[in-house]
Amino acid sequence: MTTTAPRHRTTHDGTAHDRTAHRLARRAAVAVLAGAGLLAALAPSAAAAAPAAPVAPVAPAADRAALDAALRAVVEEGGSSAVLAEVRADGRTAWRGAAGVADLATGAPVPEDARFRIGSVTKTFAATVVLQLVGEHRIGLDDPVERHLPGLVPNGAAITVRQLLNHTSGIYNFTDDPRFATQGEEALDRWLTVGRWTTYRPVEVVRIATARPPYSAPGAAWHYSNTNYVLLGMIIEHVTGRGWDEEIERRIVRPLGLRGTSMPGTSPVVPGPHAHGYVERPSGGPADVTLQNPSAYGAAGAGISTTRDLARFNAALLDGRLLRPAELAAMKQQVATGQDITYGLGLSRYPTACGEFWGLSGGIAGYGTLVMGDAAGRRQVVVSINPYHLSEATGRTFQALVDTAACGSGGPTAG
């Protein structure tokens, strides 16, 4: 295998804004992407003391160089093969960049319009459909799971739709099961040769999870569980008579013109231009994991999209085009997680020195994504990375890029 030096391209279309320095608490969160499971830990930690100042609309011209440098550092210092990023303001691209290679073997540059696996950002799409159905009085947030999926979930009469959405159901996370493990050479080889090609039906995933004891009683504690969103996908199908992916296509993708967004079912392919995803083998060297059957993850994390599409989706969600005020307010109701961020109904809140941002992060083997936007839906930040050599620098450079894109002025200070 030959490795070509990373290449870097950017396009810009911006006007000036107030230069606002800000700081998000740093952690090497990207390291969790070594596993095949979907994890919620990619997003930058929120600085609890950061004031909620108004968000400036566009990155200033002087910040383009800082954004370009932060983008390159994710590849050159952070052990990622590729990174894509976009800042949108008032419905147009303020800055967009791509660095690195689409394929380590050929050295082909990653295109700015590349598609990528979005992992748990799929949850925000699914949650939006659920809340639209709430607004149509077809689902109640306090409906018990038993009402929509009778006999499927033990204690389903005590678990509500709201608890599925905000991860307080207590239901075991199926990706914690050993059959989905990728840590260690043996587990990774098993997943590479068998696991990533396996087709799972939603009911099979739920049975894997419910064969394990719950983490807690319903509503007693927060514990991230992809099983919650697999169940929500099943509820969408029960209520509408159509698959969760069809409802996302009908209610979100087509109306917003998200041409690069798809929910691939059992297909292992990333359609269109894309960067390969890699994980690092314990014995050394990256393993190409681009091809993988995402059927197990379903509404919890099977999606594929682009920076453009995710920015448009985030804007439409937060400016009220997709949800009524009551449902959007419910989506923003946060619960404590015992970590640095809070979690709502498929949406997290990130307070920064340049205002509150709302969005979600996602990780699936070879790919990591962060989407966030200001509360008015006027400014969005989207970052997709392909990390494979994970280190402290991975988290540091990713964090610096997010900081710079969110508030400009070169990101956080050292320390």
Side-chain angles (χ1 to χ4, degrees):
M1 176 184 295
T2 58
T3 301
T4 300
R7 306 181 190 183
H8 167 243
R9 296 160 317 288
T10 57
T11 57
H12 312 285
D13 179 17
T15 58
H17 84 309
D18 293 333
R19 304 175 108 189
T20 309
H22 94 295
R23 186 176 181 84
L24 298 171
R26 182 185 304 163
R27 57 184 173 139
V30 187
V32 301
L33 297 175
L38 304 177
L39 300 170
L42 175 64
S45 305
V55 177
V58 186
D63 282 349
R64 296 174 185 174
L67 284 161
D68 294 347
L71 189 80
R72 288 192 301 268
V74 175
V75 172
E76 295 169 358
E77 302 175 34
S80 295
S81 56
V83 59
L84 305 165
E86 180 160 341
V87 177
R88 282 178 72 84
D90 294 323
R92 64 188 182 90
T93 300
W95 172 87
R96 178 186 293 150
V101 296
D103 187 334
L104 288 175
T106 67
V110 58
E112 290 181 353
D113 62 348
R115 300 181 188 187
F116 47 86
R117 299 188 185 278
I118 64 174
S120 288
V121 174
T122 311
K123 290 179 172 68
T124 307
F125 284 87
T128 300
V129 171
V130 170
L131 285 161
Q132 287 178 343
L133 292 168
V134 169
E136 295 164 11
H137 306 291
R138 300 169 73 181
I139 294 177
L141 285 175
D142 296 316
D143 285 355
V145 172
E146 185 70 14
R147 178 176 301 173
H148 300 288
L149 303 173
L152 182 62
V153 178
N155 201 27
I159 300 170
T160 67
V161 170
R162 189 192 307 271
Q163 289 165 349
L164 296 180
L165 285 162
N166 66 16
H167 295 298
T168 60
S169 71
I171 298 172
Y172 182 83
N173 180 12
F174 76 89
T175 56
D176 288 345
D177 185 90
R179 75 195 72 190
F180 297 98
T182 59
Q183 300 301 311
E185 194 82 41
E186 182 179 350
L188 178 58
D189 283 344
R190 184 169 57 249
W191 182 80
L192 288 171
T193 57
V194 178
R196 65 165 163 164
W197 309 115
T198 304
T199 294
Y200 289 91
R201 294 181 299 121
V203 69
E204 293 175 307
V205 169
V206 172
R207 286 171 180 162
I208 289 170
T210 55
R212 301 295 191 104
Y215 297 116
S216 67
W222 185 91
H223 197 293
Y224 193 82
S225 176
N226 290 295
T227 314
N228 291 325
Y229 277 76
V230 173
L231 287 164
L232 288 165
M234 297 175 75
I235 290 173
I236 290 170
E237 182 170 1
H238 175 263
V239 170
T240 66
R242 287 179 288 267
W244 64 269
D245 50 347
E246 295 176 274
E247 287 297 299
I248 287 174
E249 175 76 20
R250 190 172 73 89
R251 292 168 175 267
I252 300 173
V253 172
R254 285 204 302 266
L256 295 181
L258 307 183
R259 295 188 296 273
T261 299
S262 61
M263 304 296 152
T266 62
S267 172
V269 175
V270 179
H274 62 274
H276 286 228
Y278 302 92
V279 296
E280 189 172 32
R281 290 181 177 274
S283 58
D288 192 324
V289 296
T290 309
L291 297 175
Q292 50 183 291
N293 179 341
S295 59
Y297 309 129
I304 291 170
S305 194
T306 66
T307 58
R308 170 192 173 275
D309 281 7
L310 292 180
R312 285 190 170 197
F313 168 56
N314 181 273
L317 177 61
L318 295 174
D319 71 14
R321 279 177 282 162
L322 292 175
L323 293 176
R324 302 186 314 174
E327 282 71 55
L328 183 56
M331 196 179 206
K332 290 182 174 181
Q333 291 175 358
Q334 304 287 287
V335 295
T337 66
Q339 302 171 14
D340 296 322
I341 62 171
T342 57
Y343 202 98
L345 308 186
L347 199 68
S348 285
R349 173 182 175 269
Y350 307 113
T352 78
C354 54
E356 289 183 353
F357 282 75
W358 297 85
L360 208 63
S361 62
I364 192 169
Y367 297 85
T369 305
L370 172 66
V371 182
M372 63 183 192
D374 73 297
R378 297 186 60 193
R379 180 177 175 86
Q380 294 78 43
V381 173
V382 181
V383 180
S384 169
I385 63 172
N386 300 93
Y388 70 91
H389 179 68
L390 299 164
S391 67
E392 182 180 350
T394 311
R396 174 178 55 79
T397 57
F398 171 79
Q399 186 67 64
L401 174 59
V402 173
D403 290 343
T404 306
C407 294
S409 300
T413 56

